[in-house]
């Protein structure tokens, strides 16, 4: 799951903040995705009703996950496929490697799969001597760059055309122009050859339909269809939660997913696969394997975080996140970035290793509002923070600071004096606009990025108390003859 050797989130974030190209590319892409989503929502109409319907389907599915997983597995096997439940990352990787070894695979083509990134599957296959080629254009770009994905649906969102042209030119052995038609033409030529030579195609799974044992892939480039059709073996890898009970439920999800992800009514390709090729089929793989990965997901069931399993991996929460906007995806250090990553990664990878991520948020709740299945992401981040406080794992300075804060704010008289003293102490550091901008002591982390305003001359409590005294005085003022209690004259 870890994608960076640098273990400090703060240092990774600093590196990202220093990359102006990354920040410009991410900001541009975020704006494009957000605008597209808003337009698609308006065009569909009744968006909140669609969200509530999607939430209900995902909640019902996850609450009955054991039943639907068993139904899915039975139907895949009836269709002629092989189903494997992998409890851990190791079990999932070992199974895929075993299939590759038994098939004598020399080349594998992959369609975009976040679960395979989570498993670091490419590394294991390459150690076996297998040539692995990512065929999603964004994944192909970052594979050439030797980087992990930085966005759930747009893995190379952080790169511009000039950088992509440099990567492709290294493979071509000549300088390629950086216009989009030339770059896509080169990628298409390279990938076509890989499809034709591949022994195994590996894909993820956007949704698995339990009632028919069908794997559904949504894509825009057609590479998923080629990956599942041309090689003689197809392996689909899915997280255990990526399941819908029926085709009617899938219909709702296909209304929500592309609109939330890219602002499209529907993606260019929706591919449904029910097992290997049959006698009457013109194409398709001779063998189909479905690897259902737990890797910590089932431990989330029944906890305060269960709603995170409703996620349909649209990336909408990343596209509205102000933190992601500034640092991109790599700074999170995990395959799953942005708000969903900050909730999910500590659950799958352990809070001790990923304790910084829940704090990489302003808690503005934009992610929760953007989520098409209404996952309360900001509340789950607060739950993570609460758990850290309860376990006593926060730094001792922070614990004592909050104890002192609680002691002061629960004593109104002391709190008022503290506010007055805060103004007196900070006043020498403030400029003519009443803002503290110097970077010293415990203020440094705040004032390095923003201005700290001086506390008001009169606190709200003092103002409220003063207004109360004025109101009481007005109530006791003598009334003139014929004037009512509310100051109005009687008729």
């Amino acid at each position: 799951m870890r994608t960076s050797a640098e273990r400090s989130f703060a240092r990774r974030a600093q590196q990202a903040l220093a990359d102006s190209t990354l920040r410009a590319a991410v900001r541009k892409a975020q704006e494009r995705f957000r605008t597209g989503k808003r337009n698609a929502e308006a065009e569909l109409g009744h968006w909140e009703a669609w969200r509530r319907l999607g939430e209900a389907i995902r909640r019902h599915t996850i609450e009955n996950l054991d039943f639907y997983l068993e139904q899915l597995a039975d139907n895949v096997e009836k269709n002629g496929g092989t189903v494997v439940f992998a409890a851990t990352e190791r079990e999932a990787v070992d199974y895929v490697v075993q299939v590759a070894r038994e098939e004598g695979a020399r080349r594998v083509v992959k369609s975009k799969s976040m679960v395979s990134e989570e498993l670091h599957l490419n590394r294991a296959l390459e150690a076996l001597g297998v040539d692995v080629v990512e065929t999603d254009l964004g994944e192909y770009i970052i594979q050439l760059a030797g980087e992990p994905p930085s966005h759930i649906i747009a893995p190379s969102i952080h790169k511009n055309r000039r950088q992509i042209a440099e990567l492709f030119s290294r493979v071509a052995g000549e300088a390629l122009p950086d216009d989009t038609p030339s770059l896509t033409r080169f990628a298409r030529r390279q990938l076509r050859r890989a499809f034709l030579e591949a022994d195994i195609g590996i894909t993820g799974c956007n949704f698995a339909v339990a009632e028919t044992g069908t794997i559904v892939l949504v894509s825009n480039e057609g590479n998923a269809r080629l990956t599942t059709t041309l090689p003689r073996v197809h392996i689909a890898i899915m997280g255990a939660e990526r399941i819908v009970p029926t085709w009617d439920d899938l219909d709702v999800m296909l209304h929500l997913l592309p609109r939330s992800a890219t602002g499209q009514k529907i993606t260019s390709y929706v591919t449904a696969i029910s097992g290997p090729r049959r006698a009457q089929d013109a194409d398709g793989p001779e063998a189909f394997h479905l690897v259902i990965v737990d890797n910590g997901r089932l431990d989330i069931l029944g906890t305060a975080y269960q709603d995170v399993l409703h996620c349909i991996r649209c990336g909408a929460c990343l596209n509205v996140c102000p933190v992601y906007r500034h640092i991109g995806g790599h700074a999170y250090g995990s395959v799953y970035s942005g708000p969903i990553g900050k909730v999910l990664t500590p659950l799958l990878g352990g809070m001790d290793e990923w304790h910084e991520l829940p704090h990489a948020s302003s808690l503005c709740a934009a992610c929760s509002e953007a989520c098409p299945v209404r996952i309360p992401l900001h509340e789950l981040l607060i739950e993570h923070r609460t758990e850290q406080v309860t376990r006593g794992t926060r730094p001792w300075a922070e614990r004592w600071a909050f104890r002192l804060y609680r002691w002061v704010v629960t004593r109104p008289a002391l709190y008022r004096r503290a506010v007055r003293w805060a103004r007196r102490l900070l006043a020498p550091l403030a400029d003519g606009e009443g803002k503290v901008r110097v970077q010293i002591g415990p203020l440094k982390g705040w004032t390095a990025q923003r201005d700290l305003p001086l506390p008001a001359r009169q606190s709200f409590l003092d103002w409220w108390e003063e207004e109360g005294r004025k109101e009481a005085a007005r109530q006791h003022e003598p009334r003139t003859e014929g004037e009512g209690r509310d100051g109005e004259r009687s008729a």
Side-chain angles (χ1 to χ4, degrees):
M1 179 165 293
R2 181 170 287 283
T3 59
S4 172
E6 173 56 68
R7 303 189 78 80
S8 165
F9 171 78
R11 283 195 284 272
R12 293 195 302 269
Q14 287 294 337
Q15 292 168 4
L17 288 169
D19 189 339
S20 59
T21 303
L22 177 151
R23 296 177 66 184
V26 171
R27 183 168 59 249
K28 184 178 178 181
Q30 261 198 339
E31 289 170 357
R32 186 175 70 251
F33 286 142
R34 278 208 311 270
T35 302
K37 180 173 181 283
R38 275 198 300 270
N39 294 339
E41 290 174 4
E43 187 180 41
L44 179 63
H46 308 289
W47 182 248
E48 281 307 307
W50 280 101
R51 289 181 76 208
R52 285 193 291 275
L53 184 56
E55 178 191 19
I57 291 170
R58 292 302 293 151
R59 186 172 304 284
H60 168 79
T61 305
I62 297 303
E63 288 176 350
N64 298 277
L65 190 57
D66 55 344
F67 171 81
Y68 289 118
L69 280 174
E70 187 173 345
Q71 185 184 35
L72 172 69
D74 288 346
N75 285 326
V76 169
E77 290 175 347
K78 285 178 186 173
N79 295 335
T82 301
V83 179
V84 173
F85 285 94
T88 64
E89 171 183 328
R90 186 71 267 155
E91 288 184 14
V93 170
D94 285 349
Y95 182 78
V96 176
V97 168
Q98 175 192 326
V99 172
R101 188 179 285 120
E102 289 173 354
E103 295 291 337
R106 300 177 64 83
R107 168 166 285 182
V108 166
V109 286
K110 285 181 64 198
S111 178
K112 186 173 178 300
S113 164
M114 292 303 290
V115 178
S116 72
E117 297 286 348
E118 173 187 327
L119 304 175
H120 300 295
L121 182 60
N122 288 13
R123 192 186 307 164
L125 288 171
E126 287 164 355
L128 189 66
V130 176
D131 179 30
V132 182
V133 180
E134 297 283 354
T135 63
D136 174 272
L137 183 56
E139 290 281 352
Y140 180 62
I141 291 167
I142 61 170
Q143 185 182 29
L144 294 181
E147 298 175 1
S150 65
H151 191 286
I152 288 176
I153 63 162
S156 61
I157 191 175
H158 57 292
K159 293 202 176 294
N160 59 29
R161 281 185 303 172
R162 180 183 55 78
Q163 293 171 316
I164 295 168
E166 289 173 0
L167 288 169
F168 285 8
S169 295
R170 287 212 304 262
V171 178
E174 59 178 329
L176 296 177
D178 63 0
D179 61 277
T180 302
S182 296
L183 296 176
T184 51
R185 189 164 47 247
F186 171 78
R188 187 181 296 117
R189 191 166 59 242
Q190 293 295 113
L191 294 176
R192 287 277 174 173
R193 188 181 307 128
F195 284 124
L196 294 170
E197 295 174 355
D199 305 295
I200 295 176
I202 296 177
T203 70
C205 167
N206 290 100
F207 299 103
V209 183
E211 69 174 349
T212 56
T214 303
I215 303 305
V216 177
L217 303 168
V218 297
S219 65
N220 279 314
E221 300 169 14
N223 62 306
R225 188 67 183 134
L226 290 169
T227 301
T228 60
T229 303
L230 292 178
R232 66 177 187 277
V233 177
H234 174 203
I235 302 174
I237 306 173
M238 61 174 278
E241 80 283 13
R242 304 304 302 276
I243 190 169
V244 290
T246 68
W247 284 90
D248 287 341
D249 296 327
L250 176 69
D251 179 45
V252 175
M253 294 303 148
L254 292 182
H255 275 77
L256 292 170
L257 177 60
R259 287 177 171 85
S260 301
T262 57
Q264 294 171 280
K265 290 180 182 177
I266 194 165
T267 50
S268 302
Y269 300 87
V270 177
T271 302
I273 301 157
S274 298
R277 180 173 61 195
R278 295 169 178 79
Q280 67 274 22
D281 292 340
D283 55 28
E286 298 168 6
F288 172 74
H289 302 260
L290 176 61
V291 181
I292 301 175
V293 179
D294 172 4
N295 203 28
R297 288 166 172 77
L298 301 188
D299 291 338
I300 301 173
L301 292 172
T303 71
Y305 306 99
Q306 182 168 303
D307 285 1
V308 78
L309 296 175
H310 299 176
C311 179
I312 60 173
R313 301 290 191 272
C314 65
C317 59
L318 281 70
N319 299 336
V320 297
C321 178
V323 176
Y324 183 91
R325 185 182 185 85
H326 288 287
I327 63 175
H330 290 164
Y332 293 85
S334 163
V335 169
Y336 302 107
S337 58
I340 186 65
K342 287 179 283 193
V343 175
L344 184 61
T345 301
L347 295 171
L348 299 183
M351 183 60 81
D352 291 340
E353 184 172 357
W354 298 99
H355 61 94
E356 295 173 297
L357 290 188
H359 299 270
S361 170
S362 64
L363 298 180
C364 65
C367 50
S368 302
E369 292 180 8
C371 178
V373 291
R374 294 165 53 90
I375 300 173
L377 289 163
H378 71 292
E379 294 178 8
L380 298 180
L381 289 172
I382 294 173
E383 188 68 31
H384 271 318
R385 297 184 187 187
T386 303
E387 185 179 329
Q388 290 182 0
V389 172
T390 303
R391 292 171 57 195
T393 56
R394 298 301 301 159
W396 69 267
E398 180 183 303
R399 296 203 303 273
W400 277 103
F402 275 101
R403 285 174 187 169
L404 177 62
Y405 178 76
R406 182 176 61 184
W407 187 72
V408 172
V409 299
T410 54
R411 292 164 174 78
L414 178 61
Y415 174 74
R416 282 198 286 270
R417 282 198 293 273
V419 172
R420 293 189 196 110
W421 273 106
R423 179 178 176 82
R424 290 173 188 170
L425 291 172
L426 290 173
L429 304 177
D431 58 17
E433 298 177 3
K435 303 287 178 57
V436 178
R437 294 187 170 93
V438 295
Q439 298 174 26
I440 58 172
L443 293 177
K444 186 176 181 180
W446 178 275
T447 55
Q449 303 296 330
R450 56 184 75 80
D451 302 332
L452 176 66
L454 278 178
R457 290 184 181 279
Q458 184 181 36
S459 70
F460 174 79
L461 284 176
D462 289 341
W463 175 85
W464 185 258
E465 197 172 81
E466 183 179 318
E467 290 298 309
R469 287 196 297 270
K470 290 179 181 176
E471 179 61 21
R474 282 196 291 270
Q475 293 290 330
H476 289 86
E477 287 178 355
R479 305 182 187 87
T480 58
E481 185 177 352
E483 188 177 31
R485 186 176 180 79
D486 58 359
E488 297 179 352
R489 297 191 66 81
S490 57

